[in-house]
Amino acid sequence: MKYTEKDHTFVICAYKENPYLENTVSTLLKQSVKSKIMLSTSTPNDHIKSICDKYNIPFVINPTPHLAGDDWNYGYDHADTKLVTLVHQDDLYSKDFLKETLYALNRAQNPLLSFTDYYELKKGKKESRNLLLNIKRVMNYPLSKKMLQSSKWLRKRLLGLGDAICCPSVTFVKEQLGDTIFDTKYKNSCDYKTWVDLADRDGTFVYIPKKLLAHRIYAESATTLNLSENIRQKEDLEILSTLWPRPIAYVINKVYALSEKSNKV
């Protein structure tokens, strides 16, 4: 069976009154292959409602918010399609994101998820190469090869070097993964912990080495704030320590953290 656009939903995870939300929505509406779009939030407000009304986007409200993983689970669980992409409210998607994703998933054997390459958007300027992006591309490259995508050992070893998977670029095969897949313990690294957990499942991780997402970096973003408060480094160390003896995990975490300076603005 081949996946089509009818099998897919973009779930926008919206929070408070983000100034970039409408730009994100517009990139979903301009996809060369059209699919369902819905929005999920735990902070309903007039700004979100007006955008949903303007573009006729259905939305759901999480009545028991906690951390990001709880909000992601709520939106993900409310999508009724086989494939789900969780959209971060400040990122921009290439018009061929879904087209390329469907193509890659349909070529894969028993896919669990796919994810794409991306570039960063800082103060309106596109940045396609920096130390962090280059490291991530090297780490992800083996998973672009069909013969390696099903290797649990390889996935764990790659994740044991840091989190190279860009969360908003991930499309989940919900019919394989089931509901409520996201970690709800970590404030920042819930996506990283989720990849580590999913890496133990039978199936494939499919990397699409094309820059199909613009990941916005700005001072108010959750990623930048968590880096400034050192939350990510602490949580990543805890996760890495489940993959390596703690002294090794400590060294890897320190080295990887140096490359994340590009996320600070």
Side-chain angles (χ1 to χ4, degrees), residues 150-174:
S150 62
S151 172
K152 296 178 186 178
W153 179 88
L154 176 64
R155 294 194 296 244
K156 296 295 279 288
R157 294 287 67 79
L158 294 175
L159 289 166
L161 299 175
D163 180 13
I165 297 176
C166 180
C167 185
S169 80
V170 176
T171 296
F172 303 92
V173 183
K174 187 176 179 181

Side-chain angles (χ1 to χ4, degrees), residues 158-164 188-197 235-236 239-240 243:
L158 294 175
L159 289 166
L161 299 175
D163 180 13
N188 179 87
S189 301
C190 53
D191 53 346
Y192 186 17
K193 181 61 164 61
T194 299
W195 314 146
V196 172
D197 291 342
E235 292 185 347
D236 283 1
I239 296 168
L240 284 166
L243 301 169

Side-chain angles (χ1 to χ4, degrees), residues 1-235:
M1 185 199 74
K2 297 292 185 181
Y3 293 116
T4 72
E5 63 274 18
K6 294 180 181 179
D7 298 314
H8 178 267
T9 303
F10 283 112
V11 178
I12 306 164
C13 298
Y15 184 69
K16 295 186 176 179
E17 297 182 357
N18 186 281
Y20 303 112
L21 176 58
E22 189 166 10
N23 290 336
T24 298
V25 170
S26 69
T27 66
L28 304 181
L29 294 170
K30 294 175 182 177
Q31 290 292 301
S32 58
V33 176
K34 311 293 184 184
S35 68
K36 292 183 179 180
I37 303 173
M38 63 174 286
L39 182 144
S40 178
T41 184
S42 60
T43 58
N45 56 64
D46 290 341
H47 175 67
I48 290 174
K49 186 177 184 303
S50 66
I51 291 174
C52 288
D53 288 345
K54 180 177 179 179
Y55 296 104
N56 195 29
I57 295 172
F59 66 95
V60 293
I61 300 171
N62 180 4
T64 56
H66 181 224
L67 297 177
D70 299 273
D71 286 341
W72 293 350
N73 278 326
Y74 192 84
Y76 171 89
D77 289 350
H78 277 76
D80 61 0
T81 50
K82 298 174 182 178
L83 307 175
V84 179
T85 303
L86 289 184
V87 175
H88 292 194
Q89 64 185 354
D90 35 29
D91 295 332
L92 305 175
Y93 288 76
S94 160
K95 67 180 180 63
D96 289 328
F97 175 88
L98 181 55
K99 178 183 176 182
E100 294 287 352
T101 294
L102 291 172
Y103 177 75
L105 288 173
N106 285 329
R107 292 182 68 246
Q109 185 175 359
N110 189 30
L112 298 173
L113 58 83
S114 67
F115 62 102
T116 79
D117 193 3
Y118 70 101
Y119 60 91
E120 294 178 346
L121 197 61
K122 297 180 181 178
K123 299 179 180 178
K125 294 183 179 180
K126 178 179 178 179
E127 188 170 310
S128 295
R129 292 187 178 278
N130 57 42
L131 180 59
L132 180 62
L133 291 174
N134 292 340
I135 289 173
K136 287 187 174 186
R137 286 170 187 144
V138 171
M139 290 169 62
N140 288 328
Y141 179 75
L143 294 177
S144 67
K145 303 303 179 183
K146 193 171 184 178
M147 68 180 67
L148 300 176
Q149 292 170 349
S150 62
S151 172
K152 296 178 186 178
W153 179 88
L154 176 64
R155 294 194 296 244
K156 296 295 279 288
R157 294 287 67 79
L158 294 175
L159 289 166
L161 299 175
D163 180 13
I165 297 176
C166 180
C167 185
S169 80
V170 176
T171 296
F172 303 92
V173 183
K174 187 176 179 181
E175 67 170 350
Q176 297 289 342
L177 298 174
D179 287 338
T180 315
I181 60 172
F182 291 99
D183 167 82
T184 57
K185 174 183 175 183
Y186 292 103
K187 181 177 181 179
N188 179 87
S189 301
C190 53
D191 53 346
Y192 186 17
K193 181 61 164 61
T194 299
W195 314 146
V196 172
D197 291 342
L198 296 181
D200 279 327
R201 298 208 191 182
D202 293 333
T204 55
F205 278 27
V206 182
Y207 172 55
I208 305 167
K210 296 183 178 182
K211 301 178 188 68
L212 300 175
L213 178 85
H215 182 49
R216 193 184 301 274
I217 307 294
Y218 60 105
E220 296 80 19
S221 72
T223 298
T224 302
L225 290 173
N226 288 337
L227 281 172
S228 66
E229 296 173 12
N230 211 31
I231 294 171
R232 168 175 277 186
Q233 194 169 342
K234 292 176 182 177
E235 292 185 347

